Amino acid sequence: MASFLSFLLGEKKKTASVAKERLQIILAHERNGRNAAEPDYLPALQRELVAVISKYVKISPDDLKVQLERQDNLEVLEVKIELPDTAAK
């Protein structure tokens, strides 16, 4: 109900909230029609994550790894981000 009111009132969502919703949609979509061992959306997801994180911290595409692991009925999306050492400045 609260999200419906937010939609009607035009409340602006926080970036993290929007990213979480997008990720949930992507994962739900991929669960429905998956045949490949590795989903084809992972490279695009990795590029988008690098773009968003780069707005706040300087990283290269090699600093971020996205991996999907499957075990029985469980799927785990693992995102590893190597952040620069801020103490070295």
Side-chain angles (χ1 to χ4, degrees), residues 12-70:
K12 186 173 181 173
K13 294 184 178 184
K14 299 213 181 288
T15 305
S17 174
V18 172
K20 180 180 175 184
E21 287 178 15
R22 286 181 184 165
L23 185 57
Q24 288 173 336
I25 291 169
I26 290 171
L27 290 175
H29 174 69
E30 287 298 319
R31 282 187 188 133
N32 289 334
R34 180 177 315 138
N35 294 332
E38 183 172 301
D40 59 350
Y41 66 85
L42 288 181
L45 177 61
Q46 183 169 345
R47 285 190 302 274
E48 288 182 27
L49 287 170
V50 168
V52 170
I53 294 168
S54 293
K55 291 180 182 179
Y56 305 97
V57 178
K58 184 176 179 174
I59 64 168
S60 74
D62 295 332
D63 294 333
L64 190 138
K65 303 290 183 224
V66 178
Q67 181 177 337
L68 184 67
E69 295 180 9
R70 294 184 190 98

